[in-house]
Amino acid sequence: MALRVAVVGSGPAGFYAAGALLAHDPPVEVDLFDRLPTPWGLVRLGVAPDHPKIKSVSRAFEKIAQRPGFRFFGNVDIGRDVSHEELAEHYDAVIYAYGAQADRRMGIPGEDLPGSWAATEFVAWYNGHPDYQDLPFDLSSERAVVIGNGNVAVDVARMLALTSEEISPTDTTDEAIAAILGSGIKEIVILGRRGPVQAAFTTPELQELRELAGADLVVEPADLELDPVSAAMLQEDTALARRNVEVLREAAAASTTGKEKRVVLRFCVSPVSIVGTERVEAVEIVRNELVADESGQIRAVPTDEREVIPCGIVLRSVGYRGTEVSGVPFDERRATIRNDRGRVLDEGGAPIPGLYCAGWIKRGPSGVIGTNKKDAAETVELLLSDAGAGLLPSRVDEDIVAALSARGVQPVGYAGWEAIDAVECARGEGQGRPRVKLSHWDELLAAAEIPM
C-alpha cells in the first residue's frame, strides 16, 4: 500500500513538500488541503500585484499538481470541516505548512482605533482574499503612515503611490484600483525603529521607490548619519546593508522633481501611540538611539525627543505570526508549531509519530519564497526516513473523501481551481491584465463548479 500523506496549506512550503514527496521512488500519494478554494497561498494573495515575475513561481507548482498521486482539497478548513485527529487517522503522515497569516501587535495606545490596520489586512484586500473584501479602508486623508522597515511595508507604501499606468495592468482587484487611484493621499511616511543599516527591506524593493512615476522618494540626510555602532556594523555586515545605504544616500542627495506624491523614509523612530478620538488622527513617535547589548545585538532605546505626525490611516507592518491548530503542539512564544527540523514535538520534547511541519509555521516568517524549498525538503527527508524505519503510525483504510461527504463538506478539487483560473484569465485578457480576480466566496465557488 502506497504511503499517503496530507499536506495542510497550499502555499510555497506546501507545494514544495508535495513535490518532494511525489518525486520519491516509489512515489507518495499526496492530498493537499487549503481553507480557500484557490491554491498558491501568499504567491496569489501576498506578493505585490506589480511584481508578476515573482508570481510566476506558480508555474512550478502547476507542474507538481499534474503528477500522478496528487489531489487538491480546496475549501476544506482543518479544525472546522475535519479535525487534526481525523486527518491523522486517514494518513500515514501529516505535514502542516499553512504559514503565518496573523499580524503581530505593537501593544501601544490607539492601536485599535478605526483607521489603524494591520498591513496584512491591506495586502489581503488589494490582492483579492475573499475574507477581506468588505474592510472599510478610508484613503481620503492626505497622509498615510506605514510602520515597519521590511518589504511588506515598502510594498504597501508603493501600492498607495502607484499611478493609473502602473497599477491598471496588474491583478489588483478592481475595487482596490479604484480606491487607490481615487484616494486623497499625497504623502506616505514609512517609520523604522532602527537605522538604515538595520533595515530589513531588500535593495530592489528600495530602488523601486526611487523609480515611481508619480511619487518622489524623500530621505533626510540627517537620518543617514550613522552612529558609531551602525558605522562599525556597516563595515562588517552583509553587502545588502551596504547597497541599501548607498541607494538611500543617492536618494537623499537627489533633488525632488515635484511629483504628485511623496514617499518619506524615517529611521530611528518608534510609534508610542496612535492618536484620535473616534478614528486615527495622528501618530506620536519617539526618537531612538541605537546601542549594542552584551551579545552584540543592536537595540533601539527611546530618548525624550517626541513628535506627532498627523495622518488619517496607519498600516502596521511589524511582522507575521503563526496561529494554532487544535490538537497540534504550538510554541506560543515563537508563534510556530513546536518542532525539531520539521518533526513536531510533544510537551516533553519527543517527536510525535507521523506529524511534521514546514515553512513559516515551522521556522517563523523569514526568508524568501525559494527558502521554503530547502525547508520543505528537510522535513520530507525526515518523514521518509521515519517511514523507512517503520516509525509512522498505521492509518484507517478509508478515503478522506467519504468522511468529508458524510458531513456535507464539498471540497474544490484541482479541476475546480482550473475553472476559477480560466474565468479570471479570460476576464483579464481583454484588459491587458494577467487576470481579474474573483474575490468573493460565492463567485469563487460558483466558478469552481466541480467538487471533488
Side-chain angles (χ1 to χ4, degrees):
M1 189 162 58
L3 200 66
R4 182 187 298 166
V5 176
V7 179
V8 179
S10 67
F15 261 95
Y16 284 132
L21 289 165
L22 293 163
H24 181 63
D25 187 16
V28 177
E29 295 177 353
V30 178
D31 288 350
L32 187 62
F33 291 84
D34 203 290
R35 190 178 69 83
L36 296 175
T38 57
W40 317 149
L42 288 181
V43 171
R44 174 179 169 89
L45 300 171
V47 172
D50 61 337
H51 284 171
K53 287 185 180 179
I54 298 176
K55 296 189 178 209
S56 65
V57 70
S58 62
R59 293 175 192 150
F61 303 153
E62 290 170 353
K63 293 178 180 178
I64 291 171
Q66 300 304 325
R67 293 180 185 173
F70 175 90
R71 295 190 300 181
F72 176 62
F73 286 76
N75 194 38
V76 177
D77 189 346
I78 306 304
R80 181 194 68 189
D81 298 324
V82 59
S83 69
H84 159 69
E85 290 76 15
E86 289 173 310
L87 203 64
E89 287 178 4
H90 283 79
Y91 293 90
D92 296 294
V94 179
I95 300 176
Y96 283 99
Y98 57 86
Q101 179 63 23
D103 65 290
R104 293 188 179 274
R105 304 279 294 174
M106 295 188 300
I108 62 174
E111 189 168 7
D112 293 318
L113 276 171
S116 169
W117 298 95
T120 52
E121 296 171 307
F122 189 61
V123 169
W125 170 70
Y126 65 61
N127 267 316
H129 193 301
D131 290 344
Y132 294 85
Q133 295 311 295
D134 295 327
L135 297 183
F137 290 103
D138 183 352
L139 306 181
S140 62
S141 63
E142 290 194 0
R143 181 182 290 115
V145 170
V146 180
I147 300 170
N149 249 183
N151 280 346
V152 175
V154 172
D155 279 349
V156 298
R158 189 181 66 254
M159 288 294 295
L160 286 170
L162 294 180
T163 63
S164 176
E165 290 73 21
E166 291 169 319
I167 197 172
S168 294
T170 72
D171 65 0
T172 309
T173 65
D174 287 346
E175 293 79 4
I177 291 174
I180 289 170
L181 294 181
S183 81
I185 293 172
K186 302 299 181 185
E187 182 172 276
I188 304 109
V189 181
I190 305 176
L191 306 178
R193 66 184 176 89
R194 297 188 296 175
V197 174
Q198 296 83 26
F201 46 66
T202 51
T203 309
E205 278 65 32
L206 176 59
Q207 186 65 43
E208 281 182 317
L209 293 180
R210 297 198 64 199
E211 298 167 354
L212 288 166
D216 284 317
L217 178 61
V218 179
V219 187
E220 293 297 331
D223 267 0
L224 303 181
E225 293 177 4
L226 303 183
D227 59 277
V229 172
S230 294
M233 187 177 174
L234 189 63
Q235 296 302 314
E236 303 168 3
D237 210 341
T238 63
L240 171 62
R242 289 193 290 273
R243 289 196 299 269
N244 279 349
V245 171
E246 181 180 341
V247 172
L248 289 167
R249 286 172 173 164
E250 291 173 356
S255 57
T256 58
T257 59
K259 293 176 181 176
E260 185 178 356
K261 297 182 179 181
R262 290 161 35 107
V263 177
V264 182
L265 288 176
R266 298 284 303 272
F267 296 99
C268 291
V269 291
S270 294
V272 293
S273 69
I274 298 175
V275 182
T277 50
E278 296 183 355
R279 60 167 294 107
V280 170
E281 297 173 12
V283 176
E284 183 181 9
I285 62 173
V286 63
R287 169 69 61 178
N288 297 324
E289 289 181 349
L290 302 183
V291 298
D293 60 22
E294 293 179 357
S295 66
Q297 294 293 312
I298 305 297
R299 292 190 301 112
V301 178
T303 67
D304 294 329
E305 184 181 342
R306 296 201 175 195
E307 177 186 348
V308 174
I309 304 175
C311 64
I313 186 169
V314 173
L315 298 168
R316 313 179 311 268
S317 180
V318 294
Y320 289 90
R321 178 179 173 84
T323 56
E324 186 174 2
V325 169
S326 178
V328 180
F330 192 72
D331 184 333
E332 192 64 40
R333 184 183 64 83
R334 297 185 65 242
T336 59
I337 291 174
R338 190 185 309 118
N339 75 95
D340 175 21
R341 295 174 298 154
R343 286 190 179 104
V344 177
L345 307 177
D346 64 18
E347 292 284 349
I352 298 176
L355 191 53
Y356 304 85
C357 57
W360 280 9
I361 200 62
K362 166 186 171 181
R363 68 180 190 276
S366 62
V368 295
I369 290 172
T371 309
N372 294 291
K373 188 171 186 178
K374 183 178 180 181
D375 180 288
E378 177 186 55
T379 295
V380 168
E381 185 177 350
L382 294 177
L383 186 160
L384 294 173
S385 173
D386 292 346
L391 299 177
L392 299 184
S394 58
R395 59 175 165 87
V396 298
D397 189 19
E398 179 190 43
D399 195 326
I400 194 70
V401 172
L404 293 172
S405 297
R407 64 191 58 175
V409 179
Q410 287 194 314
V412 171
Y414 197 75
W417 153 243
E418 289 181 317
I420 293 170
D421 185 46
V423 170
E424 293 183 341
C425 291
R427 293 174 72 189
E429 189 174 359
Q431 301 179 36
R433 299 165 66 184
R435 66 179 65 241
V436 174
K437 287 178 178 173
L438 303 174
S439 55
H440 295 274
W441 278 98
D442 55 352
E443 59 185 6
L444 285 162
L445 294 177
E449 297 176 343
I450 311 165
M452 291 297 298

